[in-house]
Amino acid sequence: MLELLDLDRKISKTALERTFPDMKTRLGDCQRAVRAAGVPVVIVFEGWDAAGKGTIINHLAQALDPRGFKVHPVVAATEAERARPWMWRFWNALPAAGNFAIFDRSWYGRVLRDRVEEAVHEGQWRQAYEEVEEFERQLADSGVVLVKFWLHVGRGEQKRRFKRIRQDPATAWRVGKQERRQHRKYKEWLVAVEEMLQRTDRPHAPWTVVEATQERFVRMKVFETVLRAVDAELDRRRREPPPSRQPMPEPPAAPPAQPTILDRVDLKQSLTRPEYEKQLGALQERLFQLEHRLYTARVPAVIVYEGWDAAGKGGNIRRLTQGLDPRGYEVVPIGVPTTEELAHHYLWRFWRQVPKAGHIAIFDRSWYGRVLVERVEGLSTEAEWRRAFTEVNQFEHQLVEFGTAVVKFWLHIDQEEQLRRFQERQGNSHRQWKITGEDWRNRDKWKQYSVAVVEMLERTSTTYAPWTILEADCKLHARVKALRTVADALERALDRA
């Protein structure tokens, strides 16, 4: 592909002066339109060292309102970044709706520099292709404008530029060991670049290869490409009707052809208080030891609690954490998303809470809200919640690939037990705060939630992140089963580490 490029493409100074001022004005207009429409824009610059990435980014910055964009220079990962899945830092850098994010290098470093310099093994950079494609697909599906540039120069041109840069004392530092090594390995890099372009050029995330011999030509092509991509998304949003968000209707009254996974749960399972106390203490001691082994082995863990209102999530989490060192875990309560969270991809707020290696994150509700409450209450479109089944599976797979132990609980009770607990809370002045009008409204939609829960369990219980249903009519049984399940999962993760 790259050998077919005409690297001598140029534009005259006169032509640039005639057209470029209008392009800058149009880009400023586009930025204001993007802000009004709530469109996030991500611009990625990859290319050869000395190909001019910094120069073109500077031109873009001069045309944009500085309050609406941020440049992310991607360098070697920090200690905090290395302690989490490698895509974590890029999720954290995503722009809010209506803003631009400009990446000077990006997530493609893993399949380029890391690959050529053997900073990761082959399995890692090959797996990275899958994760990059998932990431970009998710961004595009959520309405992000994604523009990717590869700035291309020949080996001889790169050599001439390095020589010119080294001759200037003010810029000589820019050509160091890493840059000289890339020049020596130009052919190896070329193979990696060609594969990257071929494997990740998609209609929703296309590459634009820029013949970067002349800066004027680069400027024109980059600005034209950005303007075209942003205009296309703005036009699409103007033409398409507003998305439909409808609450889930009550399912038909006819009984299902066969019992669902929830129908088959044996809620009669129970535990006596003496047996509970005996097992609880032993499990908490076991978990205390495992927590410290996790820290030493640098193995992270994610524990997810979902379940019916009043099913006992809070009490279960308290018994889980009771014997742990609080410096090694964090409980993450998930409520209604904030304005900032709503301005990002819905997984953004969960990626930000991913624990670092050796630590435990316990989620009191989670990313499954999209296929539960958002689906039932009509807060997401059908396309959004259907797409989420795949997206959360991909999210969890990336966690597990990093070495994370992922444990997911659904706390199940029947309607009668829920009613009893609701009434008990209402009748106790110290517990009334735990029952709200929303709890009663959710109870009225028990049938809808049941349908959503069954589909969630069936479509997201995977070999790498299975669901465990806790029979929670007896809280004592549910607590002991949860602690044992966590302990067993942590031991398996340690054995794999």
Side-chain angles (χ1 to χ4, degrees), residues 278-324:
K278 177 182 176 182
Q279 293 191 42
L280 182 68
L283 285 167
Q284 287 176 338
E285 175 58 31
R286 182 182 170 196
L287 285 165
F288 178 80
Q289 299 297 330
L290 285 168
E291 180 189 20
H292 287 78
R293 287 177 59 195
L294 284 181
Y295 182 78
T296 302
R298 311 303 289 162
V299 173
V302 167
I303 304 168
V304 172
Y305 279 88
E306 294 284 358
W308 297 105
D309 292 330
K313 293 184 294 295
N316 207 298
I317 291 171
R318 281 196 298 275
R319 273 63 180 191
L320 173 63
T321 59
Q322 206 165 44
L324 298 178

Side-chain angles (χ1 to χ4, degrees), residues 8 22 25 68 78 106 111 176 194 220 231 247 254 269 358 383 393 438 487:
D8 292 326
D22 179 60
T25 300
T78 65
S106 67
V111 297
E194 289 274 16
M220 290 288 289
D231 283 341
Q269 296 192 57
N393 284 338
E438 185 177 349

Side-chain angles (χ1 to χ4, degrees), residues 29 105 120 148 159 185 224 264 277 341 345 388 411 415 423 479:
D29 292 340
R105 301 196 186 280
V120 297
K148 303 184 300 188
K159 182 178 181 180
K185 294 185 174 184
E224 285 175 349
R264 297 193 298 270
E277 297 290 353
E341 290 165 347
H345 190 286
L411 277 71
Q415 282 184 282
Q423 292 172 339
R479 292 167 186 170

Side-chain angles (χ1 to χ4, degrees), residues 421-429 431-432 435-436 440:
R421 294 181 186 183
F422 277 12
Q423 292 172 339
E424 180 186 16
R425 289 178 177 183
Q426 279 197 326
N428 186 328
S429 60
R431 294 168 61 82
Q432 285 177 352
I435 183 77
T436 67
W440 288 106

Side-chain angles (χ1 to χ4, degrees), residues 243-256:
S244 175
R245 293 180 171 86
Q246 299 294 330
M248 184 178 178
E250 184 172 323

Side-chain angles (χ1 to χ4, degrees), residues 246-249 369-379 385 442 445 448-453:
Q246 299 294 330
M248 184 178 178
R370 172 138 294 197
V371 297
L372 291 177
V373 65
E374 291 187 33
R375 172 185 180 179
V376 173
E377 302 297 337
L379 301 174
W385 64 256
N442 290 344
K445 297 186 177 182
Q448 290 95 317
Y449 274 102
S450 294
V451 171
V453 170

